[in-house]
Amino acid sequence: MRRHRIQLINPNTSQAMTETMAHTARTIASSRVEIDAVCPKEGVPSIEGHFDEAVATLGILQQIREGEDRGVNGHIIACFGDPGLLAARELAKGPVLGIAEAAMHVASMVATRFSIVTTLPRTVIIARHLLHRYGFYEQCAAVHAIDLPVLSLEDGSGLAQQKVREYCLNAKHNDNVGAIILGCGGMADLAAELSEELQMPVIDGVGAAVTLLESLLNLGITTSKWGDLDFPRNKGITGPYAACLNTPSS
Amino acid sequence: MRRHRIQLINPNTSQAMTETMAHTARTIASSRVEIDAVCPKEGVPSIEGHFDEAVATLGILQQIREGEDRGVNGHIIACFGDPGLLAARELAKGPVLGIAEAAMHVASMVATRFSIVTTLPRTVIIARHLLHRYGFYEQCAAVHAIDLPVLSLEDGSGLAQQKVREYCLNAKHNDNVGAIILGCGGMADLAAELSEELQMPVIDGVGAAVTLLESLLNLGITTSKWGDLDFPRNKGITGPYAACLNTPSS
Amino acid sequence: MRRHRIQLINPNTSQAMTETMAHTARTIASSRVEIDAVCPKEGVPSIEGHFDEAVATLGILQQIREGEDRGVNGHIIACFGDPGLLAARELAKGPVLGIAEAAMHVASMVATRFSIVTTLPRTVIIARHLLHRYGFYEQCAAVHAIDLPVLSLEDGSGLAQQKVREYCLNAKHNDNVGAIILGCGGMADLAAELSEELQMPVIDGVGAAVTLLESLLNLGITTSKWGDLDFPRNKGITGPYAACLNTPSS
Amino acid sequence: MRRHRIQLINPNTSQAMTETMAHTARTIASSRVEIDAVCPKEGVPSIEGHFDEAVATLGILQQIREGEDRGVNGHIIACFGDPGLLAARELAKGPVLGIAEAAMHVASMVATRFSIVTTLPRTVIIARHLLHRYGFYEQCAAVHAIDLPVLSLEDGSGLAQQKVREYCLNAKHNDNVGAIILGCGGMADLAAELSEELQMPVIDGVGAAVTLLESLLNLGITTSKWGDLDFPRNKGITGPYAACLNTPSS
Amino acid sequence: MRRHRIQLINPNTSQAMTETMAHTARTIASSRVEIDAVCPKEGVPSIEGHFDEAVATLGILQQIREGEDRGVNGHIIACFGDPGLLAARELAKGPVLGIAEAAMHVASMVATRFSIVTTLPRTVIIARHLLHRYGFYEQCAAVHAIDLPVLSLEDGSGLAQQKVREYCLNAKHNDNVGAIILGCGGMADLAAELSEELQMPVIDGVGAAVTLLESLLNLGITTSKWGDLDFPRNKGITGPYAACLNTPSS
Amino acid sequence: MRRHRIQLINPNTSQAMTETMAHTARTIASSRVEIDAVCPKEGVPSIEGHFDEAVATLGILQQIREGEDRGVNGHIIACFGDPGLLAARELAKGPVLGIAEAAMHVASMVATRFSIVTTLPRTVIIARHLLHRYGFYEQCAAVHAIDLPVLSLEDGSGLAQQKVREYCLNAKHNDNVGAIILGCGGMADLAAELSEELQMPVIDGVGAAVTLLESLLNLGITTSKWGDLDFPRNKGITGPYAACLNTPSS
């Protein structure tokens, strides 16, 4: 049986978060899958708004290009806002999944409604927009923000983890939902333990994306190149993105 | 690595269609998965409306019960209307997927919009209702009916297959979509060939459901028993369904 | 003027609840209408989830068949989830109404927004799905569950009735609505008293369905047999449902 | 059994159209109902846009006032745009129905989808807005305009009637719907004949409103005066509308 | 550069409120714009429901007619329910804006979500309907009512102003919004001060409408007369509205 | 009266298109406004997909930064996909408008429904997503693509202009709309002529954005810094975007 190489792109520059997510991804991936965990050398240390997403997209597209050149078979954008998702789908030959969409797809298969627990309040609007874009808006009861920045998940104090747990417990008892989605890649390592403690699905998008991407690879289905996700037309790009198109994919 | 046993439930009584779908399922399943393909002994030979779905649900729930007793790990409802899906999720310990939802999830990961090609016009309303329920309504450009009954796919004449192909070609050129979903389990064997010919994803729900169900099993995530998909309360059921609850699951 | 015979189908096996609803139905029906109140001999004692609805649907369709054979002119499915509604519409010559849809139609004619008071929390999702399906979602402010099972309405303690009253009062004062719908057939006898006490429309679906069904009969309009609600195609059904089609309706 | 007196308000000044609608209303009404058919002395001869609706609303509210004073039990606004509906509900003690909403409620009880055939293209937007307001938008496949003014229905040539018939036939064969709504009160007399010819429900709002209003009267339910449809606060109105509030209703 | 004359129509008969709004309008208008502030001689002293809106519409349309005859270039309907907006657009040659729509357009340009603070609870439904009609429903977090009548804003006690301030502060801290809309023309003079105090956009529709109307006039764009907002067909109107059409505009 | 300096950012590198748009902008702007028309030195020559938008966003944000440093009062993103709009709003002190949203706001003020005429079919999905995001989806009848690339508008042949005209004429006669939006900044110079020829509003987003931005500046309202559009948190960005944050705005 064919082996797959999946590129896990952490769009921020945090090496610690990349490792947290890579560990989760490797725990979930089947034995026939190899995980390449990467993050950009330059960019933003964490993604907490639309500006941060724009910065991150630059790194994501460069990693997509380099990954494709290295022969990876598919890509994961491991930030809960799914930044640059459609641009990455245009650029890549292999399938591309965001961790937010992956978590939402999985939640909708095991519960009639779910809540999301995320980091800063300013990211809530990003989750809302994705829920609308993907069609899961009516299935989401609430998006809760613990009001701590993303990197607090890596500060070693455990405070952020404690708040995530509290918000999940509250959501379980007040939101009338059957599942909870962890709204940040940096929470990937909490899903198993919280699922066990709460006795309900607490879903991490990194694991969800790894296994859904395997699904697409097993099906032999990749981003459609018929229509609006076709490869970008190369019209003579200049500047930092130019390298993305200099190895024609089609 | 743990092995999984997946029950593929064809809700109609057609043995030929069960075999067509089992073949596709086994082609897609990874080496660690065993497919139990079953269909009810009694019921309706094909499912082409709401009454047929009600009939089929009876058989589905009995197969869910028997499969759980045999120790299968998850279930697929292999009819494009996803009949009895939420009832089955209540009844089963393992995860349950319908082939319509599975196909729609996959389509939404590889294209911004898709069309559906189904059998009789009277089934179009069922697809529409599912698109709304699941949240994919805005992503679906059109639901086309070839206006032939389900069993014409098994009559050996090839006429239905020819019409499916024609409708897919028309959808490709007129609907401004990136993917096409085959809206009947009996079309499962056409997806690979049509994808190749049309050079775009033509998605079959049976294969999609097999691999998405593997994803859930790999993640260790099953239907939430917290909330509205909890096991049915056993209040002393009588009649043909009584057996479904006589081996308490919880 | 023509007389009408309306079959009131209680889809659960509770004789007490059948009588409660029959009494309400007869109070509302005009003098030219006769009410046949029936319930299945076998099935589920109360309906509190999707599995229960699947069980109930079997009995409903058999009653539809028998009622049509007896010459009834129309049918009411007297469970707030409207189980099997579209299947019943396919099967019957006469019009079929569910009590949930009936209550929602009436509420929308006398108030700009309404709330629903139902029994167990796990039935809330069923009401939500109906609100979406029927188009009344935006007109519903909240669905409240008293968190007692359906049959507590028949236990003689009056506790459930007391909680219904409390929840209705709360809805009146907090939900900014003009009407309240009682979300269970077993609450049918409370509507008049609560309307009087709260001085606002408290709507019971049984009464609503009786009178709306009379409306359809007076108009001479029944379920359209052009299109997707046409009679089921009889393709050789076997098993418990077979009898439903053995007296061809068309 | 109590008798009911229903006021049928034709909001335009056409006596011929008032009579057409009164005839239909009396055919549908049960023997315990008396129909008062009225139209304003001054106003607009036909209603084909938002300005016309504003003009018509003045007359409607005056008729509501006068009807209440005369002791009628309920009111029908017999123009397909349901002009002034919520204002009339505030003003009246008895229930008020518009013929557009009535037709849509009935259509949604007998078909999964319907189309509308109306008069001038400029009225299509009014039907669209109502479909959204009432929640029936997804159930409407198309709104077709015959492109003739309302009064052409009364010119004796039969041309408008012929075009209505053609558009209904086209809708039957092309729209994948189970019912058709006649989108003008002046088409009330065509419904029975077209239903017979097309062998599918062709629904007229006047008849629908008469019988639904009877339903409300039988249920003893009227417009909620708790909340936003309460009687208008009388703050010292002056001008043509002043008379509407000079007989305090509350 | 061309000068513009804008008619600010206060649809109620309160001269004090007309002056409040005229003052705000003149503060916002550019030097090339002249503001004609008018209110009807007869009608309703404040607008707090659908009946009041119907009354007000009569005066609005007469002012539109008179304003057009005087040569004004555009019109503002200065009541937060935008009464008679589409009728006014049909009647007028120049563009017409409502203050509710104007405030919502502006809010959506400077924040991802907003709340509304209005007067009586019974007006909330009017704001909701407008949010749906205009497409801003998802962008509105909440509509809060201070539960005081419109004219309390003119009673000199300052109580209503104090409550508006309190509700704005609460909305800022609880609604997770970036802007607040003042939901009554009589609050126009509070926007600047509250914006300053709350350090976030507090938007008044009168100022918003003045400047958006200037935008349309600068663009040379007015209500489309192609299609459903074309001038009303003059079919021989009689009664109080007749004068509106006696100076043909087209 | 205060003067305003508005930065018109053409996000592609075409100098010709920048000049076309600057010319239109200056024609529309009032005498108190100065237009700074800029385009990035590096980037993509035209924007026809999500990848192109990601590239363009880099240049847009750098121009926002430089413009703010130069003291401009507001910004226009002059590409019909409104790329980077929310990121730009976070970064800038002054208000920011996209030309797609501006055109849609204006269209909704002068017509009940509109159509869009754009360039390549692959950009249609971008317009659809914006229509949903902004809330104008129901008001848009159709998005038509002339199937020519953006730069064909600058090739001097007039072919693209001819096709735009044809598609506008078709939309006028077939779409039942009152206005047409030109879906590309490069079509800015066609709006006046087409409006004249078609005798209906043909709306260009560049002019619309200039005048709406003036409105915001006149109102003294800018992007809310309370909530999710607050300035980006500066967490130590590195790489090409770093310069955007090195002149702290807050």
Side-chain angles (χ1 to χ4, degrees):
Chain A
M1 191 167 263
R2 225 170 23 178
R3 291 186 55 78
H4 301 309
R5 212 167 136 202
I6 290 177
Q7 177 171 246
L8 178 78
I9 305 172
N10 173 15
N12 72 35
T13 57
S14 161
Q15 197 58 44
M17 197 170 292
T18 309
E19 278 159 30
T20 299
M21 297 196 290
H23 178 74
T24 297
R26 290 184 184 118
T27 306
I28 296 298
S30 78
S31 56
R32 48 200 280 221
V33 164
E34 183 183 344
I35 301 289
D36 277 23
V38 299
C39 72
K41 274 164 232 74
E42 294 177 329
V44 70
S46 63
I47 301 174
E48 296 160 329
H50 304 94
F51 177 83
D52 295 351
E53 288 198 343
V55 175
T57 297
L58 180 59
I60 290 164
L61 295 176
Q62 287 168 338
Q63 299 282 8
I64 293 277
R65 174 74 277 138
E66 290 173 28
E68 295 264 309
D69 291 348
R70 274 199 327 274
V72 306
N73 305 105
H75 312 265
I76 292 168
I77 299 176
C79 166
F80 199 77
D82 295 354
L85 180 62
L86 293 179
R89 283 198 177 134
E90 289 184 2
L91 190 60
K93 239 181 178 146
V96 186
L97 289 180
I99 64 170
E101 64 172 341
M104 293 171 192
H105 283 290
V106 165
S108 76
M109 295 176 201
V110 295
T112 60
R113 303 187 91 213
F114 56 83
S115 285
I116 298 174
V117 174
T118 184
T119 55
L120 289 183
R122 71 185 298 167
T123 69
V124 171
I125 189 65
I126 295 175
R128 277 179 180 281
H129 284 167
L130 295 182
L131 287 162
H132 274 295
R133 172 79 55 98
Y134 301 151
F136 298 119
Y137 194 79
E138 292 297 340
Q139 296 170 51
C140 182
V143 185
H144 304 286
I146 61 169
D147 207 357
L148 287 177
V150 168
L151 291 181
S152 68
L153 287 157
E154 305 290 341
D155 70 7
S157 73
L159 176 61
Q161 283 76 5
Q162 181 54 27
K163 289 201 97 173
V164 169
R165 183 181 162 275
E166 280 167 30
Y167 276 75
C168 285
L169 280 165
N170 287 342
K172 175 177 178 177
H173 292 295
N174 302 325
D175 289 0
N176 197 19
V177 294
I180 298 170
I181 289 176
L182 299 177
C184 176
M187 302 174 186
D189 54 341
L190 305 178
E193 189 178 297
L194 286 171
S195 292
E196 183 61 27
E197 180 185 352
L198 275 72
Q199 286 292 299
M200 71 191 292
V202 177
I203 298 167
D204 147 57
V206 176
V210 166
T211 186
L212 291 182
L213 193 54
E214 273 201 64
S215 287
L216 295 180
L217 294 169
N218 289 348
L219 286 168
I221 291 180
T222 186
T223 304
S224 176
K225 291 300 168 181
W226 176 257
D228 48 41
L229 297 177
D230 195 6
F231 297 110
R233 302 176 67 230
N234 193 341
K235 299 161 287 195
I237 291 185
T238 52
Y241 277 98
C244 288
L245 290 190
N246 66 2
T247 311
S249 297
S250 51
Chain B
M1 189 165 265
R2 226 172 20 180
R3 292 185 54 78
H4 301 309
R5 210 166 137 203
I6 290 177
Q7 177 171 246
L8 177 79
I9 304 172
N10 174 14
N12 71 36
T13 56
S14 160
Q15 196 59 43
M17 198 172 290
T18 309
E19 276 159 31
T20 300
M21 298 197 288
H23 178 74
T24 298
R26 291 186 182 116
T27 308
I28 297 297
S30 78
S31 56
R32 47 198 283 219
V33 165
E34 182 183 344
I35 301 289
D36 278 22
V38 299
C39 71
K41 273 164 232 76
E42 294 178 327
V44 68
S46 63
I47 301 174
E48 296 159 330
H50 304 94
F51 176 84
D52 294 351
E53 288 198 343
V55 176
T57 296
L58 179 60
I60 290 164
L61 295 176
Q62 287 169 338
Q63 299 282 7
I64 293 275
R65 176 73 278 141
E66 292 172 27
E68 295 264 308
D69 290 347
R70 274 198 328 272
V72 305
N73 304 107
H75 312 265
I76 291 168
I77 298 175
C79 166
F80 199 77
D82 295 355
L85 180 61
L86 294 179
R89 281 196 179 137
E90 289 184 2
L91 189 60
K93 241 183 178 143
V96 186
L97 288 181
I99 64 172
E101 65 173 339
M104 293 172 191
H105 282 289
V106 165
S108 76
M109 296 176 200
V110 295
T112 60
R113 303 187 93 212
F114 56 82
S115 285
I116 297 175
V117 174
T118 184
T119 53
L120 288 184
R122 70 185 297 166
T123 69
V124 171
I125 190 64
I126 294 176
R128 278 179 178 281
H129 284 168
L130 295 181
L131 288 161
H132 273 295
R133 171 80 55 97
Y134 301 151
F136 297 120
Y137 195 79
E138 292 297 340
Q139 296 169 51
C140 182
V143 185
H144 303 286
I146 61 169
D147 207 358
L148 287 177
V150 168
L151 292 181
S152 69
L153 287 156
E154 306 290 341
D155 70 6
S157 74
L159 175 63
Q161 284 77 4
Q162 181 53 27
K163 288 201 99 174
V164 170
R165 183 180 164 275
E166 279 167 31
Y167 276 74
C168 286
L169 280 164
N170 286 343
K172 174 177 179 177
H173 293 296
N174 301 326
D175 288 359
N176 197 18
V177 294
I180 298 169
I181 289 176
L182 299 178
C184 177
M187 301 174 186
D189 54 341
L190 305 179
E193 188 178 298
L194 286 172
S195 293
E196 183 61 28
E197 181 184 350
L198 274 72
Q199 286 292 299
M200 71 190 293
V202 177
I203 297 167
D204 148 56
V206 176
V210 167
T211 186
L212 292 181
L213 192 54
E214 274 201 65
S215 287
L216 294 181
L217 293 169
N218 289 347
L219 286 167
I221 291 180
T222 185
T223 303
S224 176
K225 291 300 167 179
W226 176 257
D228 49 40
L229 296 177
D230 195 7
F231 296 110
R233 302 176 68 231
N234 192 341
K235 299 161 287 194
I237 291 186
T238 52
Y241 277 97
C244 289
L245 290 191
N246 66 1
T247 310
S249 297
S250 52
Chain C
M1 191 168 266
R2 223 170 22 178
R3 291 186 55 78
H4 301 308
R5 211 165 136 204
I6 291 179
Q7 175 170 248
L8 177 78
I9 305 172
N10 173 16
N12 72 35
T13 56
S14 162
Q15 195 60 42
M17 198 171 290
T18 308
E19 278 159 30
T20 300
M21 297 196 290
H23 179 74
T24 298
R26 289 184 185 121
T27 308
I28 297 298
S30 78
S31 56
R32 48 200 280 225
V33 165
E34 180 183 347
I35 302 288
D36 279 20
V38 299
C39 72
K41 275 164 230 74
E42 294 177 328
V44 69
S46 63
I47 301 174
E48 297 161 330
H50 304 93
F51 177 83
D52 294 351
E53 289 198 342
V55 175
T57 297
L58 180 59
I60 291 163
L61 296 176
Q62 288 168 339
Q63 300 282 9
I64 294 275
R65 174 72 281 140
E66 292 172 26
E68 296 263 309
D69 291 348
R70 275 199 324 274
V72 305
N73 305 105
H75 311 265
I76 291 169
I77 299 176
C79 165
F80 199 75
D82 295 354
L85 180 61
L86 294 179
R89 283 198 177 133
E90 290 183 2
L91 190 59
K93 239 180 178 149
V96 186
L97 288 180
I99 64 170
E101 65 173 341
M104 294 172 190
H105 282 290
V106 166
S108 76
M109 295 176 200
V110 295
T112 61
R113 303 187 92 210
F114 56 82
S115 284
I116 298 174
V117 174
T118 184
T119 54
L120 290 183
R122 69 184 300 166
T123 68
V124 171
I125 190 67
I126 294 175
R128 278 179 178 281
H129 284 168
L130 294 183
L131 288 162
H132 273 296
R133 171 79 56 95
Y134 301 150
F136 298 119
Y137 195 79
E138 292 298 341
Q139 296 170 51
C140 181
V143 186
H144 303 286
I146 60 168
D147 206 358
L148 286 177
V150 168
L151 292 181
S152 68
L153 287 158
E154 305 290 339
D155 69 7
S157 73
L159 177 62
Q161 283 77 3
Q162 181 54 27
K163 289 201 97 175
V164 169
R165 184 182 163 274
E166 280 167 30
Y167 276 75
C168 285
L169 280 164
N170 287 342
K172 174 177 179 179
H173 293 294
N174 301 325
D175 289 359
N176 197 19
V177 294
I180 298 171
I181 289 175
L182 299 178
C184 178
M187 302 174 185
D189 53 341
L190 306 177
E193 188 179 297
L194 286 171
S195 293
E196 182 61 28
E197 181 185 352
L198 274 72
Q199 286 293 299
M200 70 191 291
V202 177
I203 298 166
D204 148 56
V206 175
V210 166
T211 186
L212 292 181
L213 193 54
E214 274 199 66
S215 288
L216 295 180
L217 294 169
N218 289 348
L219 286 167
I221 291 181
T222 185
T223 304
S224 176
K225 293 298 167 181
W226 175 258
D228 47 41
L229 297 177
D230 195 6
F231 296 110
R233 301 176 66 230
N234 192 343
K235 298 160 287 193
I237 291 186
T238 53
Y241 277 98
C244 289
L245 291 190
N246 66 3
T247 311
S249 297
S250 51
Chain D
M1 190 165 265
R2 224 172 23 183
R3 291 185 54 77
H4 301 309
R5 209 165 137 204
I6 291 178
Q7 177 171 245
L8 178 78
I9 305 171
N10 173 16
N12 72 36
T13 56
S14 161
Q15 196 59 43
M17 199 171 291
T18 307
E19 277 158 31
T20 299
M21 297 196 289
H23 178 75
T24 299
R26 290 185 184 118
T27 307
I28 297 296
S30 78
S31 56
R32 47 199 281 220
V33 165
E34 181 183 345
I35 301 288
D36 278 23
V38 300
C39 71
K41 272 164 234 76
E42 293 177 329
V44 70
S46 63
I47 302 174
E48 296 160 328
H50 304 93
F51 176 83
D52 294 349
E53 288 198 342
V55 175
T57 296
L58 180 59
I60 291 165
L61 295 176
Q62 288 168 338
Q63 300 281 8
I64 293 275
R65 175 73 280 139
E66 292 173 27
E68 296 264 309
D69 291 347
R70 276 199 323 275
V72 306
N73 304 105
H75 312 265
I76 291 168
I77 299 176
C79 166
F80 199 76
D82 294 354
L85 180 62
L86 294 178
R89 285 200 176 131
E90 289 184 0
L91 190 59
K93 240 182 180 147
V96 186
L97 288 181
I99 63 170
E101 64 172 341
M104 293 172 191
H105 282 290
V106 166
S108 76
M109 296 177 200
V110 295
T112 61
R113 305 186 92 211
F114 56 82
S115 285
I116 297 173
V117 173
T118 184
T119 54
L120 288 184
R122 70 184 299 165
T123 68
V124 171
I125 190 65
I126 294 175
R128 279 179 176 281
H129 284 169
L130 295 182
L131 288 162
H132 274 295
R133 172 79 55 97
Y134 301 151
F136 298 119
Y137 195 78
E138 293 297 341
Q139 295 169 51
C140 181
V143 186
H144 304 285
I146 61 167
D147 207 358
L148 287 177
V150 167
L151 291 181
S152 68
L153 287 157
E154 306 289 342
D155 69 6
S157 74
L159 176 62
Q161 284 75 2
Q162 181 54 26
K163 288 201 101 175
V164 169
R165 184 180 163 276
E166 279 167 30
Y167 276 75
C168 286
L169 280 165
N170 287 342
K172 174 177 180 178
H173 292 295
N174 301 325
D175 288 359
N176 197 20
V177 295
I180 297 170
I181 289 175
L182 299 178
C184 178
M187 302 174 185
D189 53 341
L190 305 178
E193 186 179 299
L194 286 172
S195 292
E196 183 62 28
E197 180 185 353
L198 275 71
Q199 286 292 300
M200 68 191 293
V202 177
I203 298 167
D204 147 56
V206 176
V210 166
T211 186
L212 292 181
L213 193 54
E214 273 201 66
S215 287
L216 294 180
L217 294 169
N218 288 347
L219 286 167
I221 292 180
T222 184
T223 303
S224 176
K225 291 299 165 181
W226 176 258
D228 48 40
L229 296 177
D230 196 6
F231 296 109
R233 302 176 67 231
N234 193 343
K235 299 161 286 195
I237 292 187
T238 52
Y241 278 96
C244 289
L245 291 191
N246 65 3
T247 310
S249 296
S250 52
Chain E
M1 190 167 265
R2 224 172 20 180
R3 292 186 55 78
H4 301 308
R5 210 166 137 205
I6 291 178
Q7 176 171 247
L8 177 78
I9 305 171
N10 174 16
N12 71 36
T13 56
S14 160
Q15 195 60 42
M17 199 171 290
T18 309
E19 277 159 30
T20 300
M21 297 196 290
H23 178 74
T24 298
R26 290 186 184 115
T27 308
I28 297 297
S30 78
S31 55
R32 48 200 279 223
V33 165
E34 180 184 346
I35 302 288
D36 277 22
V38 299
C39 70
K41 273 163 234 74
E42 294 176 327
V44 69
S46 63
I47 301 174
E48 296 160 328
H50 304 94
F51 177 83
D52 294 350
E53 289 198 343
V55 176
T57 296
L58 179 60
I60 291 164
L61 295 176
Q62 287 168 338
Q63 299 282 8
I64 293 276
R65 173 73 280 139
E66 291 173 26
E68 296 263 311
D69 290 347
R70 276 199 323 275
V72 306
N73 305 105
H75 312 265
I76 292 169
I77 299 176
C79 166
F80 199 76
D82 295 354
L85 180 61
L86 294 179
R89 283 198 177 132
E90 289 183 3
L91 189 59
K93 238 181 180 147
V96 186
L97 288 181
I99 65 171
E101 66 172 340
M104 294 172 192
H105 282 291
V106 165
S108 76
M109 295 176 199
V110 295
T112 59
R113 303 186 94 211
F114 56 83
S115 285
I116 298 174
V117 174
T118 184
T119 54
L120 288 184
R122 70 183 299 165
T123 68
V124 171
I125 190 66
I126 294 175
R128 278 179 178 280
H129 285 168
L130 294 182
L131 288 162
H132 274 295
R133 170 81 53 97
Y134 301 151
F136 297 120
Y137 195 79
E138 293 297 339
Q139 296 170 52
C140 182
V143 185
H144 304 286
I146 61 168
D147 206 358
L148 287 177
V150 167
L151 292 181
S152 69
L153 286 157
E154 305 291 341
D155 69 7
S157 72
L159 176 62
Q161 284 76 3
Q162 182 53 27
K163 288 202 100 175
V164 168
R165 184 182 163 275
E166 280 166 31
Y167 276 75
C168 286
L169 279 165
N170 286 342
K172 174 177 179 178
H173 293 296
N174 302 324
D175 288 0
N176 197 20
V177 294
I180 297 170
I181 288 175
L182 299 178
C184 177
M187 303 174 185
D189 54 341
L190 306 178
E193 188 179 298
L194 286 172
S195 293
E196 183 61 27
E197 180 184 353
L198 273 73
Q199 286 292 299
M200 69 191 292
V202 177
I203 298 166
D204 148 57
V206 176
V210 167
T211 185
L212 292 182
L213 192 55
E214 275 202 62
S215 287
L216 295 181
L217 293 170
N218 288 349
L219 286 168
I221 291 180
T222 185
T223 303
S224 176
K225 292 299 168 182
W226 175 256
D228 47 40
L229 298 176
D230 195 6
F231 296 109
R233 302 175 67 229
N234 193 342
K235 298 161 287 195
I237 291 187
T238 52
Y241 277 98
C244 289
L245 291 190
N246 66 2
T247 312
S249 296
S250 51
Chain F
M1 189 165 268
R2 225 172 21 181
R3 290 185 55 78
H4 301 307
R5 212 167 135 203
I6 290 178
Q7 177 172 246
L8 178 78
I9 305 172
N10 173 16
N12 72 36
T13 56
S14 161
Q15 197 58 43
M17 199 172 290
T18 308
E19 278 159 30
T20 299
M21 297 195 291
H23 178 74
T24 298
R26 289 185 184 117
T27 308
I28 297 295
S30 78
S31 56
R32 48 199 281 222
V33 165
E34 180 184 346
I35 301 289
D36 278 21
V38 299
C39 70
K41 274 164 230 76
E42 293 177 329
V44 68
S46 63
I47 301 175
E48 295 160 330
H50 304 94
F51 176 84
D52 294 350
E53 289 198 342
V55 175
T57 297
L58 180 60
I60 290 164
L61 295 176
Q62 287 169 339
Q63 300 281 9
I64 293 275
R65 174 72 279 140
E66 291 172 27
E68 295 264 310
D69 291 348
R70 275 199 325 273
V72 305
N73 305 104
H75 312 266
I76 291 167
I77 299 177
C79 166
F80 199 77
D82 294 354
L85 179 62
L86 293 179
R89 283 198 179 136
E90 289 184 2
L91 190 59
K93 240 181 179 147
V96 186
L97 288 181
I99 63 170
E101 64 173 341
M104 293 171 192
H105 282 290
V106 166
S108 75
M109 295 175 201
V110 295
T112 60
R113 303 187 93 211
F114 56 82
S115 285
I116 298 174
V117 173
T118 184
T119 54
L120 288 184
R122 70 184 299 164
T123 69
V124 171
I125 190 65
I126 294 175
R128 278 179 179 280
H129 284 168
L130 295 182
L131 288 162
H132 273 295
R133 171 80 54 98
Y134 301 150
F136 297 120
Y137 195 78
E138 293 297 341
Q139 296 169 51
C140 181
V143 186
H144 304 285
I146 60 168
D147 207 358
L148 287 176
V150 168
L151 292 181
S152 68
L153 287 157
E154 305 290 340
D155 70 6
S157 73
L159 176 62
Q161 283 76 3
Q162 181 54 27
K163 288 201 99 175
V164 169
R165 183 179 163 278
E166 280 167 30
Y167 276 75
C168 286
L169 280 165
N170 286 342
K172 174 177 179 179
H173 293 295
N174 301 324
D175 288 359
N176 196 19
V177 295
I180 298 170
I181 289 176
L182 299 178
C184 177
M187 302 173 184
D189 54 340
L190 306 178
E193 187 179 298
L194 286 171
S195 293
E196 183 60 29
E197 181 184 353
L198 275 72
Q199 286 293 299
M200 68 192 292
V202 177
I203 298 167
D204 148 56
V206 175
V210 167
T211 186
L212 292 181
L213 193 54
E214 274 200 66
S215 287
L216 294 181
L217 293 168
N218 289 348
L219 286 168
I221 290 180
T222 183
T223 303
S224 176
K225 291 299 167 181
W226 175 258
D228 48 39
L229 297 177
D230 195 7
F231 296 111
R233 301 176 66 231
N234 192 343
K235 299 159 287 194
I237 292 186
T238 53
Y241 277 97
C244 288
L245 291 191
N246 65 3
T247 309
S249 297
S250 51

